[in-house]
Amino acid sequence: MGWITEDLIRRNAEHNDCVIFSLEELSLHQQEIERLEHIDKWCRDLKILYLQNNLIGKIENVSKLKKLEYLNLALNNIEKIENLEGCEELAKLDLTVNFIGELSSIKTLKHNIHLKELFLMGNPCATFNHYREFVVATLPQLKWLDGKEIEPSERIKALQDYSVIEPQIREQEKDHCLKRSKLKEEAQRKHQEEDKNEDERSNPGSDGHWYTDINATLSSLESKDHLQAPDMQEYNTKKLDESEDDLEFWNKPCLFTPESRLETLRHMEKQRKNQEKLSEKKKVKPPRILITGNGNALNVNEPKIDFSLNDNEKQIILDLAVYRYMDTSLIDVDVQPTYVRVMIKGKPFQLVLPAEVRPDSSSAKRSQTTGHLVICMPKVGEVITGGQQAFKSMKTTSDKSREQTNARMKEEAQIPPNEAIY
């Protein structure tokens, strides 16, 4: 069931900077709303209100919308026109495809002197004999009915025949009300039976208790290796039953009534909840396998980051393109003799090394310019002091130029003075 909440209105008021008190147009269609409320308190400046394709059963809580000019309540569960006298500026009212059978309720619209357009097509009252004549004669301010303009001659004729038409409309209303009362009783009885069946499904025992077959329990305990098979069979059976129930529901013929629309909504909500439960089960991923049962490490790159591996004679250098602005506290490095593992925000990056390394002599640092993580791992049998050799490839351009200048100055100092070139 959908409720009209302040958050819902704000989300549909983006064109007004999410300000609701000065809102002039609001669209709340297809929100599964069953009751019309709060709008007359929060949005009193409304001029246009769209509420089509919901499940609203009664027109209410709109009498304070004095500036409302257009109200669209098509495709709802409304059975009677009421509570619109306070909408003083109402000029257009759309009640297409509802369940209005009390046609005489249109008399309440006499107070809406600015009402020019009215739509009642698709309602039970639209099938009444002399329906159009009755509406035209009852509402003299009306200019258009069901999208068709009302001619002056048509209005004169309707007014002349009004005294004869009104009793016929009353009789048809009475017949419709009797049919609706029977349908409501039948729907209520059916709903009670469904609730009873649902209780029986949830409580299999006659006294509400569960009973267990001891022999079946003992046999199941004896065969522990086959415990999962009955569970899968039960799951598949349950899923098959739900599919059959769903197919039976949609193939079952029913009348188009407010109760059937609500029943359809309840069924769709139930199906959606079951689907969400299945989706949640599917979302639960099994733990990532990093080491096989034989003790072999696997190559894993769950963070999906770029990397490069430099293997020289003395050491192995791994350069991970870690996000530049990621906090170092979110990174955890573990170097093993045959592989290296880096946890980045809880996601593992693991790489099998081409040669055995010394974890106790390895080092890991981040570049201050790129944020990359550089892990230097000396090979077994090689000794690297201070880790400075590992970062030889990371020297900046200024460091290289400084070294070249120093080397050139040394060469010039070694040349004898008599061999100097001028």
Side-chain angles (χ1 to χ4, degrees), residues 66-299:
K66 304 296 182 181
K67 300 179 182 180
L68 189 64
E69 299 176 2
Y70 176 32
L71 176 60
N72 192 330
L73 284 166
L75 291 165
N76 278 283
N77 292 351
I78 297 168
E79 299 188 56
K80 182 180 179 181
I81 302 174
E82 57 187 337
N83 301 321
L84 290 172
E85 297 87 350
C87 302
E88 299 172 356
E89 298 295 327
L90 187 63
K92 183 177 180 180
L93 177 62
D94 193 343
L95 293 168
T96 305
V97 191
N98 275 274
F99 299 92
I100 299 172
E102 192 175 337
L103 185 57
S104 58
S105 63
I106 65 168
K107 292 182 179 180
T108 60
L109 297 175
K110 286 184 177 181
H111 303 283
N112 304 98
I113 58 176
H114 297 288
L115 184 64
K116 305 300 179 187
E117 294 184 64
L118 178 63
F119 291 87
L120 289 173
M121 63 180 75
N123 285 275
C125 65
T127 62
F128 290 178
N129 294 329
H130 307 293
Y131 144 76
R132 185 174 176 88
E133 293 92 328
F134 180 78
V135 177
V136 170
T138 304
L139 301 175
Q141 76 274 32
L142 212 59
K143 301 296 182 184
W144 295 78
L145 177 60
D146 294 334
K148 184 179 179 181
E149 188 176 3
I150 301 172
E151 300 292 339
S153 57
E154 183 183 7
R155 191 181 301 279
I156 293 172
K157 183 71 168 59
L159 289 171
Q160 290 175 349
D161 299 338
Y162 184 75
S163 58
V164 179
I165 293 172
E166 186 179 15
Q168 297 179 15
I169 295 294
R170 294 285 185 184
E171 285 296 324
Q172 295 177 84
E173 283 181 351
K174 187 176 180 181
D175 294 340
H176 173 77
C177 290
L178 288 173
K179 291 180 182 178
R180 279 294 298 138
S181 60
K182 291 180 180 178
L183 290 173
K184 287 180 180 179
E185 290 176 0
E186 184 179 352
Q188 187 176 4
R189 178 177 53 80
K190 183 180 177 182
H191 185 65
Q192 291 175 352
E193 290 178 357
E194 290 178 354
D195 290 343
K196 184 178 179 181
N197 293 334
E198 192 70 25
D199 292 339
E200 290 177 354
R201 288 179 184 177
S202 58
N203 301 312
S206 59
D207 56 353
H209 292 82
W210 292 84
Y211 295 94
T212 306
D213 188 350
I214 298 176
N215 296 326
T217 305
L218 291 174
S219 61
S220 63
L221 289 173
E222 290 174 359
S223 56
K224 291 184 179 180
D225 296 336
H226 303 283
L227 279 174
Q228 292 183 353
D231 293 340
M232 287 299 298
Q233 185 178 1
E234 182 181 355
Y235 171 76
N236 292 331
T237 304
K238 185 178 179 182
K239 189 175 181 181
L240 182 62
D241 292 341
E242 289 179 355
S243 300
E244 290 178 354
D245 292 343
D246 185 55
L247 188 63
E248 181 184 357
F249 176 83
W250 291 113
N251 290 334
K252 180 178 62 178
C254 65
L255 297 173
F256 183 65
T257 62
E259 291 78 21
S260 66
R261 290 194 73 203
L262 288 171
E263 184 183 4
T264 303
L265 174 65
R266 300 288 184 267
H267 180 78
M268 292 174 66
E269 283 183 350
K270 183 179 178 181
Q271 294 297 110
R272 186 163 57 242
K273 288 180 180 178
N274 292 337
Q275 193 65 31
E276 287 176 355
K277 289 180 180 178
L278 291 175
S279 300
E280 289 177 359
K281 290 180 180 179
K282 291 179 181 179
K283 286 180 181 178
V284 178
K285 295 183 179 180
R288 172 76 69 173
I289 298 175
L290 301 176
I291 306 295
T292 63
N294 299 329
N296 297 325
L298 300 177
N299 291 328

Side-chain angles (χ1 to χ4, degrees), residues 329-383:
S329 62
L330 300 174
I331 304 173
D332 185 25
V333 181
D334 180 18
V335 179
Q336 297 294 330
T338 58
Y339 67 90
V340 59
R341 181 185 302 164
V342 182
M343 300 296 293
I344 302 172
K345 295 181 69 174
K347 296 182 179 180
F349 172 91
Q350 183 169 287
L351 186 66
V352 179
L353 300 175
E356 189 174 352
V357 299
R358 298 176 56 186
D360 54 344
S361 301
S362 301
S363 63
K365 291 186 179 181
R366 291 189 69 181
S367 171
Q368 294 182 353
T369 55
T370 62
H372 286 204
L373 177 67
V374 181
I375 305 174
C376 302
M377 298 164 283
K379 294 182 179 180
V380 173
E382 299 292 340
V383 179

